[in-house]
Amino acid sequence: MNEQLKTFVQVAETGSFSKAAEKLFISSTAVMKQMNVLEKQAGIPLLNRTNHGVRLTEAGAAFIKDAKFMLQYYQESLIRMRQAAQANRYIVRVGTSMLNPCKVLIDLWNGISSLSPQFGISIVHFEDDAHTLPATYRTIGQSFDIMVGPFLADRWKAHYRMLELGSYRLCFAVSRHHRLASKKTISVTDLYGERLAVVNGGNCSVIHEIRDFLIKNHPQIRMKEVPRLYDLDVFNRCEESNTVMLTLEAWADIHPSLVTIPSDLDFALPYGLLYPLHPSEELHQFIALIQEMNVDRLGEPK
């Protein structure tokens, strides 16, 4: 039943058996078979199949929220079960995505994990979708305990704490066919006459400063303000429209058709851990360990 629920959620979100199959790494035939079994067990149709895709029936629309809840509850139950089986061992749930990878934290943790056997890590994937990310930021501590990434969402700072681990360099991303694609560094003056996409759906103060600096000092650049969060769709649109995009060095390999080139902007964007406002005592201890390890790594307090 768990696999059928996962498949049902993917079909509902993508509106397609084939797209759901790609997400789940199974065949379209397997997806259809699972949906047939689920509908047979339910005793009513959950999906309308058309030549233009798949849509939820009224019953399916009523069931989708419950399906997502059951999947989340199932994952949380597994964690509780494993915690009980491992006695005093505390499992820290780390959220990860393409734009918010957890590698920085894992690298830090691998350096001290043998000295802290009371902790373990469970990786929880979430989607980089501009429509769902606001809820992800606001509910840190529910589906996962820690999120690793750049501090881009000042708008929701009241919902989580932050532990800074370092900073990312600002870069420009251009299509591989763009006139600037072969440059080693892109200066601001190279962008005169170009469209520059500045994404700031999170109301990030650093992005605001960069935007204001460019508007005031370099009006020759055609600014395109994007009032949404960074997600893969933004990268796709910038590549398709041959628009330059303000981006981060950490995202150099996100889109295969974009080249990420360092800029001469004198700005940096902090990155680190986002965690609940009221962490458990165990999570607080884990955060303290990471902070201590990071101070040793940098040689200075954060």
Side-chain angles (χ1 to χ4, degrees):
M1 175 63 79
N2 185 54
E3 291 302 315
Q4 293 164 13
L5 290 177
K6 286 171 59 178
T7 303
F8 174 66
V9 169
Q10 285 295 337
V11 170
E13 291 180 347
T14 62
S16 165
F17 288 139
S18 59
K19 290 180 181 178
E22 290 178 9
K23 292 269 189 180
L24 296 167
F25 299 100
I26 60 177
S27 68
S28 297
T29 301
V31 170
M32 288 186 281
K33 286 182 178 179
Q34 288 189 31
M35 292 303 89
N36 290 338
V37 171
L38 182 62
E39 288 181 316
K40 185 176 180 180
Q41 291 174 338
I44 51 175
L46 300 175
L47 301 167
N48 281 323
R49 299 153 174 83
T50 70
N51 293 332
H52 303 291
V54 182
R55 295 182 180 277
L56 293 173
T57 63
E58 288 188 10
F63 179 58
I64 186 67
K65 290 184 179 179
D66 291 332
K68 290 180 178 180
F69 172 79
M70 286 188 283
L71 283 173
Q72 180 177 329
Y73 189 80
Y74 174 75
Q75 292 299 325
E76 292 173 352
S77 296
L78 286 180
I79 291 170
R80 288 193 293 270
M81 177 182 66
R82 289 165 183 160
Q83 288 177 340
Q86 297 181 48
N88 296 323
R89 199 161 188 254
Y90 183 82
I91 304 299
V92 179
R93 301 168 300 165
V94 180
T96 190
S97 68
M98 287 189 69
L99 294 180
N100 297 274
C102 61
K103 185 178 185 301
V104 172
L105 173 60
I106 299 303
D107 288 346
L108 281 173
W109 176 242
N110 285 340
I112 58 173
S113 59
S114 61
L115 303 176
S116 305
Q118 72 272 30
F119 293 108
I121 283 181
S122 174
I123 305 300
V124 180
H125 177 76
F126 65 91
E127 294 292 337
D128 293 308
D129 184 284
H131 301 291
T132 59
L133 275 172
T136 300
Y137 281 114
R138 291 195 301 266
T139 58
I140 290 174
Q142 293 185 15
S143 296
F144 50 81
D145 303 304
I146 295 174
M147 174 178 169
V148 188
F151 297 162
L152 280 165
D154 292 358
R155 180 174 297 171
W156 299 291
K157 275 185 177 179
H159 297 278
Y160 51 77
R161 294 187 185 185
M162 298 179 292
L163 171 64
E164 186 175 337
L165 298 178
S167 61
Y168 287 139
R169 186 176 180 181
L170 271 297
C171 299
F172 296 117
V174 298
S175 166
R176 293 189 179 276
H177 305 294
H178 196 280
R179 68 177 182 85
L180 299 175
S182 61
K183 294 184 73 67
K184 298 298 182 185
T185 302
I186 294 180
S187 68
V188 174
T189 54
D190 290 329
L191 299 180
Y192 286 3
E194 295 287 343
R195 285 187 303 172
L196 174 64
V198 178
V199 181
N200 193 25
N203 200 29
C204 174
S205 58
V206 175
I207 301 296
H208 273 303
E209 290 174 16
I210 295 170
R211 182 202 62 189
D212 294 344
F213 167 80
L214 293 175
I215 290 174
K216 179 180 178 181
N217 298 287
H218 302 278
Q220 299 90 336
I221 299 173
R222 293 182 291 159
M223 299 284 289
K224 178 180 175 58
E225 295 188 41
V226 184
R228 61 182 294 178
L229 292 168
Y230 278 98
D231 64 5
L232 296 181
D233 187 52
V234 171
F235 285 79
N236 287 329
R237 293 189 181 190
C238 286
E239 193 280 329
E240 292 167 2
S241 62
N242 206 33
T243 300
V244 182
M245 182 174 69
L246 183 69
T247 185
L248 303 176
E249 59 181 327
W251 295 338
D253 300 318
I254 290 296
H255 197 297
S257 296
L258 290 174
V259 182
T260 299
I261 303 172
S263 76
D264 63 352
L265 289 169
D266 189 22
F267 293 89
L269 193 70
Y271 73 85
L273 307 186
L274 278 58
Y275 60 101
L277 288 174
H278 306 289
S280 65
E281 179 59 31
E282 294 87 353
L283 182 58
H284 183 77
Q285 293 173 11
F286 179 83
I287 296 291
L289 286 171
I290 295 301
Q291 184 174 21
E292 182 179 348
M293 182 65 180
N294 193 54
V295 168
D296 292 341
R297 176 177 69 93
L298 298 178
E300 59 182 34
K302 278 304 201 184

